[in-house]
Amino acid sequence: MNNIPPKTIERLSKYRTILKSLALNTKSEYIFSHDLAEIANVSPPQVRRDIMSIKHSGNSRKGYHVKTLIENIGTILDAKNYQHVAVIGAGNLGSAIIKYFKDHSSAFKIIAAFDIDEEKNKNCNIPCYNISDFDEIIKKENISIVAITTPASSAETVIKLIKNDKIKGIINFMPFPIKTPPGIFIENIDLSVIFEKASYFVENLKKET
């Protein structure tokens, strides 16, 4: 297993997105670390350290070969087989995530959604099930990651569900963190905190102008 820190993985994913866009829109064949750093809003030494962590090196005169770097990052980020993902909650946020990531990633594939509301289930672009079928579908479809997009009022029910031993990764969009036992990766994402943070800094920038 590659012992690469989570923040480095995040940056590598960002670099790959940038590189793919450059390759598609500018046909750039090479890029220097300082140019990639400027776009990614990190320092050039940080870019070089991150890329060295995957044992990739560039050309001192030309920089990094874009296509090769994309491929080498992929060997780290992309699983040999798709990780199967389910979304718990087929409301506005859940549906948006499903639509955005449908056939969008080479590392994972959202293959199921769950909701207690049968009407919401009809609007999914993937198979959607009643929450009561969770354990059966998780086992049948070999699902290892779940994204939780339910309201806080459903927290108790959801927390019981994700104790399924097939679940190894959780992306939590509920407005409070979930604690998990060892052996499970979890990312708690509170969108209200992100927007409030942006609002605070924008307000202070306005005061300075």
Side-chain angles (χ1 to χ4, degrees), residues 54-97:
I54 62 171
K55 297 179 170 46
H56 182 89
S57 58
N59 184 300
S60 59
R61 292 185 298 107
K62 294 182 178 180
Y64 299 110
H65 187 264
V66 171
K67 184 178 179 181
T68 304
L69 182 52
I70 291 171
E71 291 172 351
N72 285 351
I73 293 174
T75 63
I76 300 299
L77 298 185
D78 299 341
K80 292 181 180 178
N81 300 302
Y82 280 110
Q83 296 291 337
H84 287 183
V85 180
V87 174
I88 304 177
N92 292 335
L93 178 57
S95 296
I97 288 172

Side-chain angles (χ1 to χ4, degrees), residues 165-202:
D165 60 9
K166 295 287 184 181
I167 304 302
K168 300 300 179 186
I170 299 167
I171 304 165
N172 173 36
F173 288 93
M174 287 192 295
F176 56 85
I178 293 176
K179 292 184 178 180
T180 60
I184 298 178
F185 172 82
I186 183 160
E187 186 79 12
N188 291 296
I189 302 172
D190 190 335
L191 293 176
S192 64
V193 170
I194 295 170
F195 277 92
E196 287 174 1
K197 178 181 175 183
S199 177
Y200 170 83
F201 283 105
V202 168

Side-chain angles (χ1 to χ4, degrees), residues 96-166:
I97 288 172
I98 292 166
K99 289 176 183 176
Y100 180 79
F101 284 109
K102 193 175 190 309
D103 303 320
H104 187 78
S105 173
S106 55
F108 64 89
K109 190 170 186 179
I110 299 177
I111 63 169
F114 296 91
D115 203 287
I116 198 168
D117 187 339
E118 297 289 347
E119 289 303 312
K120 288 180 182 177
N121 291 354
K122 294 176 183 178
N123 297 324
C124 289
N125 294 318
I126 58 172
C128 293
Y129 306 92
N130 190 283
I131 201 73
S132 61
D133 298 322
F134 184 82
D135 287 332
E136 176 188 347
I137 300 302
I138 291 296
K139 182 178 180 180
K140 178 183 175 182
E141 299 295 346
N142 194 30
I143 293 167
S144 56
I145 300 173
V146 294
I148 304 170
T149 61
T150 59
S153 57
S154 302
E156 187 175 346
T157 299
V158 170
I159 290 170
K160 288 179 181 178
L161 289 173
I162 60 177
K163 290 181 179 179
N164 186 301
D165 60 9
K166 295 287 184 181

Side-chain angles (χ1 to χ4, degrees), residues 7-24:
K7 288 297 182 182
T8 303
I9 293 295
E10 287 181 19
R11 289 190 296 270
L12 288 170
S13 179
K14 181 187 290 187
Y15 301 156
R16 183 167 66 165
T17 299
I18 292 168
L19 293 166
K20 284 182 175 180
S21 179
L22 288 172
L24 180 65

